[in-house]
Each structure stands twice: as C-alpha cells, then as structure tokens.
Amino acid sequence: MCNKGSNPCEACDAGDSESRGHCVHCNSTGEAPCDFCAGTGWVGNDVIPHELQIPVWRHRLKTTHKLLEKYAKTYTKATLDDLAGRPSNDKQRQAAILETGRLAAKLHALGKSCAITDHTQAEHLTSAEAKVRACLKILS
C-alpha cells in the first residue's frame, strides 16, 4: 500500500517543487508518511500470525538497531548541516529526510511493540527516536 513507508503527499502538488517548498506534511519532499504503516514500511500485527508476532518484532528491533548505527555514522552533524543548507528540492536532502522520518517511525513503533520487555529498552528507544526527530528537524 506504500513505498517503504511513504506515499505521494496529498497536501501539496508533488509534481511542482515550488508549490511544495514549505509543506509541513511531507517536509517538502513530495512524499508523506503512509497512514497504513505509520511510516515504517512494515505490515501490522493483524497480518502477522499471533504466534510469530514476538519473533517478528524482535527481528525488527535487531535490524532497526543496525539501521540506527549506520544512520549515526552516515549523518554526522556536519553532514546534516550541509544537507540542511541545500535547496528543498535537492535530491540528497529529500532522501535524507525520508530516511530519517522512516527511522523515527520505526523507533516509535518498536517502543510500543511486544518486543520490548523492560523499561530500560523502552527508554532507549524513546531517547533514540527523540534524537532522530531532532535530526529530522535540522534537515527540514
């Protein structure tokens, strides 16, 4: 139903970069988070057999942790500042915004999932999500 967690933004004209220059729904990328998957790109629990939900969410937790590590290495403060200084229609900036939003959505979903069994894990995910959202704010 979506493309890795996003769909064309209905709030702005995705074909005209000038008209979407200040769109808050899609951060001027022309791609807004998907309502079906909440921007994660993942299917919901209603599609996953009940007996597989915990293993699926644990796998998602593991892969998202790897994505977070890669993200931290790729998007340093200098890189974020460079991308933020580019025009809103810059392809690399738009890709970074989409990647950042998707990662934040995944961290949010994981924080509410059945894979989280203790308070410390939940706090770690909440903290990581806040940091990723701060990166999104810089890019936007």
Side-chain angles (χ1 to χ4, degrees):
M1 294 193 64
C2 64
N3 180 22
K4 298 180 184 175
S6 64
N7 285 319
C9 181
E10 295 179 7
C12 67
D13 180 10
D16 179 10
S17 63
E18 199 61 38
S19 68
R20 71 172 188 242
H22 296 90
C23 182
V24 296
H25 299 286
C26 68
N27 292 308
S28 303
T29 63
E31 293 288 323
C34 170
D35 291 332
F36 179 75
C37 70
T40 63
W42 294 333
V43 298
N45 280 342
D46 55 335
V47 179
I48 304 168
H50 181 71
E51 59 276 2
L52 295 178
Q53 286 182 5
I54 291 175
V56 166
W57 280 99
R58 285 186 180 150
H59 177 73
R60 288 175 175 177
L61 180 62
K62 183 178 176 182
T63 57
T64 301
H65 182 73
K66 289 178 183 176
L67 285 173
L68 185 59
E69 287 177 343
K70 181 181 175 190
Y71 184 89
K73 290 177 184 174
T74 303
Y75 294 104
T76 63
K77 176 74 169 125
T79 302
L80 290 171
D81 288 342
D82 174 57
L83 289 169
R86 295 180 183 191
S88 62
N89 64 349
D90 180 82
K91 296 294 182 194
Q92 286 180 314
R93 180 179 179 188
Q94 290 179 348
I97 290 171
L98 290 172
E99 183 179 355
T100 305
R102 191 174 304 120
L103 180 57
K106 288 178 179 188
L107 291 165
H108 183 77
L110 283 163
K112 297 177 182 241
S113 75
C114 58
I116 304 307
T117 56
D118 73 36
H119 187 64
T120 306
Q121 281 182 313
E123 287 177 353
H124 175 71
L125 288 169
T126 301
S127 174
E129 179 190 356
K131 289 175 184 175
V132 170
R133 291 205 184 273
C135 293
L136 185 58
K137 188 169 183 153
I138 291 169
L139 289 167
S140 299

